[in-house]
mmCIF file of all heavy atoms in Angstrom:
data_model
loop_
_atom_site.group_PDB
_atom_site.id
_atom_site.type_symbol
_atom_site.label_atom_id
_atom_site.label_comp_id
_atom_site.label_asym_id
_atom_site.label_seq_id
_atom_site.Cartn_x
_atom_site.Cartn_y
_atom_site.Cartn_z
ATOM 1 N N TYR O 1520 -162.967 -63.995 134.119
ATOM 2 C CA TYR O 1520 -161.992 -64.694 133.512
ATOM 3 C C TYR O 1520 -162.388 -65.433 132.301
ATOM 4 O O TYR O 1520 -161.558 -65.759 131.421
ATOM 5 C CB TYR O 1520 -161.114 -65.503 134.520
ATOM 6 C CG TYR O 1520 -161.569 -66.958 134.871
ATOM 7 C CD1 TYR O 1520 -161.243 -67.955 134.070
ATOM 8 C CD2 TYR O 1520 -162.394 -67.050 135.938
ATOM 9 C CE1 TYR O 1520 -161.737 -69.313 134.228
ATOM 10 C CE2 TYR O 1520 -162.818 -68.386 136.152
ATOM 11 C CZ TYR O 1520 -162.553 -69.339 135.363
ATOM 12 O OH TYR O 1520 -162.991 -70.662 135.624
ATOM 13 N N HIS O 1521 -163.681 -65.777 132.249
ATOM 14 C CA HIS O 1521 -164.051 -66.514 130.940
ATOM 15 C C HIS O 1521 -164.072 -65.522 129.846
ATOM 16 O O HIS O 1521 -164.043 -65.964 128.596
ATOM 17 C CB HIS O 1521 -165.599 -66.992 131.148
ATOM 18 C CG HIS O 1521 -165.765 -68.115 132.184
ATOM 19 N ND1 HIS O 1521 -166.394 -67.899 133.335
ATOM 20 C CD2 HIS O 1521 -165.282 -69.360 131.983
ATOM 21 C CE1 HIS O 1521 -166.418 -69.137 133.971
ATOM 22 N NE2 HIS O 1521 -165.719 -70.011 133.144
ATOM 23 N N VAL O 1522 -164.214 -64.265 130.111
ATOM 24 C CA VAL O 1522 -164.318 -63.344 128.854
ATOM 25 C C VAL O 1522 -163.060 -62.618 128.708
ATOM 26 O O VAL O 1522 -162.863 -61.758 127.876
ATOM 27 C CB VAL O 1522 -165.504 -62.386 129.102
ATOM 28 C CG1 VAL O 1522 -166.832 -63.166 128.992
ATOM 29 C CG2 VAL O 1522 -165.339 -61.525 130.371
ATOM 30 N N SER O 1523 -162.051 -62.844 129.497
ATOM 31 C CA SER O 1523 -160.688 -62.345 129.351
ATOM 32 C C SER O 1523 -160.039 -62.625 128.076
ATOM 33 O O SER O 1523 -159.847 -63.698 127.670
ATOM 34 C CB SER O 1523 -159.835 -62.558 130.535
ATOM 35 O OG SER O 1523 -158.480 -62.264 130.332
ATOM 36 N N GLY O 1524 -159.682 -61.686 127.295
ATOM 37 C CA GLY O 1524 -158.948 -61.897 126.083
ATOM 38 C C GLY O 1524 -159.789 -62.371 124.878
ATOM 39 O O GLY O 1524 -159.407 -62.773 123.874
ATOM 40 N N ILE O 1525 -161.183 -62.207 124.992
ATOM 41 C CA ILE O 1525 -162.071 -62.673 123.998
ATOM 42 C C ILE O 1525 -162.614 -61.406 123.101
ATOM 43 O O ILE O 1525 -163.269 -61.661 122.084
ATOM 44 C CB ILE O 1525 -163.246 -63.505 124.313
ATOM 45 C CG1 ILE O 1525 -164.224 -62.689 125.075
ATOM 46 C CG2 ILE O 1525 -162.808 -64.776 125.145
ATOM 47 C CD1 ILE O 1525 -165.531 -63.423 125.170
ATOM 48 N N ILE O 1526 -162.130 -60.190 123.458
ATOM 49 C CA ILE O 1526 -162.663 -59.138 122.800
ATOM 50 C C ILE O 1526 -162.139 -59.170 121.309
ATOM 51 O O ILE O 1526 -163.083 -58.725 120.362
ATOM 52 C CB ILE O 1526 -162.146 -57.789 123.352
ATOM 53 C CG1 ILE O 1526 -162.950 -56.547 122.861
ATOM 54 C CG2 ILE O 1526 -160.669 -57.542 123.158
ATOM 55 C CD1 ILE O 1526 -162.687 -55.304 123.642
ATOM 56 N N GLN O 1527 -161.132 -59.734 120.962
ATOM 57 C CA GLN O 1527 -160.790 -59.753 119.483
ATOM 58 C C GLN O 1527 -161.129 -61.144 118.731
ATOM 59 O O GLN O 1527 -160.871 -61.330 117.570
ATOM 60 C CB GLN O 1527 -159.288 -59.692 119.393
ATOM 61 C CG GLN O 1527 -158.470 -60.843 119.894
ATOM 62 C CD GLN O 1527 -157.695 -60.480 121.228
ATOM 63 O OE1 GLN O 1527 -158.552 -60.011 122.164
ATOM 64 N NE2 GLN O 1527 -156.518 -60.650 121.317
ATOM 65 N N ASP O 1528 -161.947 -62.022 119.464
ATOM 66 C CA ASP O 1528 -162.217 -63.244 118.864
ATOM 67 C C ASP O 1528 -163.507 -63.228 117.949
ATOM 68 O O ASP O 1528 -164.381 -62.597 118.329
ATOM 69 C CB ASP O 1528 -162.351 -64.351 119.776
ATOM 70 C CG ASP O 1528 -161.119 -64.718 120.477
ATOM 71 O OD1 ASP O 1528 -160.047 -64.338 120.021
ATOM 72 O OD2 ASP O 1528 -161.049 -65.425 121.488
ATOM 73 N N GLY O 1529 -163.458 -63.766 116.708
ATOM 74 C CA GLY O 1529 -164.617 -63.842 116.011
ATOM 75 C C GLY O 1529 -165.519 -65.013 116.507
ATOM 76 O O GLY O 1529 -165.193 -65.643 117.496
ATOM 77 N N GLY O 1530 -166.657 -65.235 115.929
ATOM 78 C CA GLY O 1530 -167.502 -66.155 116.409
ATOM 79 C C GLY O 1530 -168.264 -65.883 117.650
ATOM 80 O O GLY O 1530 -168.324 -64.701 118.035
ATOM 81 N N THR O 1531 -168.739 -66.821 118.543
ATOM 82 C CA THR O 1531 -169.248 -66.590 119.791
ATOM 83 C C THR O 1531 -169.155 -67.841 120.702
ATOM 84 O O THR O 1531 -169.219 -68.863 120.283
ATOM 85 C CB THR O 1531 -170.871 -66.283 119.646
ATOM 86 O OG1 THR O 1531 -171.451 -66.700 120.872
ATOM 87 C CG2 THR O 1531 -171.463 -67.189 118.638
ATOM 88 N N LEU O 1532 -168.497 -67.389 121.861
ATOM 89 C CA LEU O 1532 -168.189 -68.561 122.788
ATOM 90 C C LEU O 1532 -169.331 -69.284 123.297
ATOM 91 O O LEU O 1532 -169.323 -70.401 123.755
ATOM 92 C CB LEU O 1532 -167.289 -68.005 124.033
ATOM 93 C CG LEU O 1532 -167.916 -67.112 125.072
ATOM 94 C CD1 LEU O 1532 -168.514 -68.010 126.239
ATOM 95 C CD2 LEU O 1532 -166.703 -66.368 125.654
ATOM 96 N N LEU O 1533 -170.555 -68.620 123.242
ATOM 97 C CA LEU O 1533 -171.744 -69.303 123.489
ATOM 98 C C LEU O 1533 -172.431 -70.119 122.531
ATOM 99 O O LEU O 1533 -173.443 -70.730 122.696
ATOM 100 C CB LEU O 1533 -172.853 -68.221 124.033
ATOM 101 C CG LEU O 1533 -172.484 -67.574 125.393
ATOM 102 C CD1 LEU O 1533 -173.674 -66.494 125.707
ATOM 103 C CD2 LEU O 1533 -172.324 -68.613 126.406
ATOM 104 N N LYS O 1534 -171.727 -70.119 121.276
ATOM 105 C CA LYS O 1534 -172.174 -70.820 119.970
ATOM 106 C C LYS O 1534 -173.677 -70.149 119.700
ATOM 107 O O LYS O 1534 -174.169 -69.385 120.521
ATOM 108 C CB LYS O 1534 -172.286 -72.246 120.201
ATOM 109 C CG LYS O 1534 -170.958 -72.800 120.677
ATOM 110 C CD LYS O 1534 -170.704 -74.186 120.492
ATOM 111 C CE LYS O 1534 -169.389 -74.701 120.872
ATOM 112 N NZ LYS O 1534 -168.375 -74.333 119.945
ATOM 113 N N SER O 1535 -174.025 -70.368 118.523
ATOM 114 C CA SER O 1535 -175.341 -69.807 118.168
ATOM 115 C C SER O 1535 -176.179 -70.871 117.377
ATOM 116 O O SER O 1535 -175.726 -71.944 117.015
ATOM 117 C CB SER O 1535 -175.102 -68.653 117.242
ATOM 118 O OG SER O 1535 -176.329 -67.988 117.039
ATOM 119 N N ALA O 1536 -177.441 -70.634 117.154
ATOM 120 C CA ALA O 1536 -178.246 -71.517 116.427
ATOM 121 C C ALA O 1536 -179.559 -70.791 116.265
ATOM 122 O O ALA O 1536 -179.949 -69.797 116.835
ATOM 123 C CB ALA O 1536 -178.433 -72.772 117.167
#
Side-chain angles (χ1 to χ4, degrees):
Chain O
Y1520 83 88
H1521 288 115
V1522 296
S1523 169
I1525 69 166
I1526 195 170
Q1527 71 257 47
D1528 290 346
T1531 156
L1532 71 87
L1533 289 181
K1534 307 201 178 283
S1535 189

